[in-house]
Amino acid sequence: MGNDRINENMCPDDDSRLIAAFFAENVADVPDDGFSGRVMHRLPRCKSNINRIWTWLCIIAGVVFLVLTKSWLVPYSILNGMLEDIDVVQLLHFNYVPYIVAMFVISVLLGYSLAYERKFF
């Protein structure tokens, strides 16, 4: 019963310290005899150069495809049509205050939650 009361008052940092102390006291040194080195030499080589070459070939193929098919014209025409439909006079008389207040409140809540998560408070 008394042991439960001690555990209730402990914080996670205390648990971490107890675990670290336990493992520091119970370190077992296992002889390696070069086993790790032999395993590392038998592993296959990293193929990062082949991955980089393949990535660049795919990017070049995608750009060539876009140029040959003139695929940029569709998003351009959609964006151009959207921008032509915007009424600038209507934007000047729009009330932005509720959106600014909402963004401020969301920013404060996000900042508080990030600060609380990183234990600044």
Side-chain angles (χ1 to χ4, degrees):
M1 193 72 165
N3 197 12
D4 291 337
R5 201 174 281 170
I6 292 171
N7 288 337
E8 289 174 0
N9 294 331
M10 291 178 61
C11 66
D13 292 334
D14 292 337
D15 291 340
S16 299
R17 280 191 227 121
L18 286 172
I19 291 171
F22 172 77
F23 282 117
E25 292 172 2
N26 298 306
V27 174
D29 202 16
V30 179
D32 190 357
D33 296 329
F35 175 75
S36 298
R38 290 192 305 270
V39 169
M40 294 302 291
H41 286 292
R42 295 183 102 185
L43 291 175
R45 294 279 178 211
C46 183
K47 303 203 173 169
S48 63
N49 290 336
I50 294 173
N51 289 339
R52 285 189 199 126
I53 292 170
W54 180 249
T55 301
W56 280 105
L57 284 174
C58 290
I59 290 171
I60 291 169
V63 169
V64 168
F65 176 78
L66 288 175
V67 170
L68 291 177
T69 59
K70 297 182 182 177
S71 298
W72 69 85
L73 293 177
V74 174
Y76 174 75
S77 64
I78 292 172
L79 184 62
N80 193 20
M82 286 173 31
L83 291 176
E84 287 176 354
D85 290 341
I86 293 176
D87 188 11
V88 178
V89 175
Q90 192 176 18
L91 285 177
L92 292 175
H93 298 293
F94 190 74
N95 186 11
Y96 293 104
V97 174
Y99 297 103
I100 293 171
V101 170
M103 289 178 66
F104 177 74
V105 169
I106 291 170
S107 299
V108 167
L109 291 175
L110 180 64
Y112 178 78
S113 67
L114 289 174
Y116 184 77
E117 180 180 310
R118 294 187 180 169
K119 307 212 188 287
F120 287 133
F121 295 113

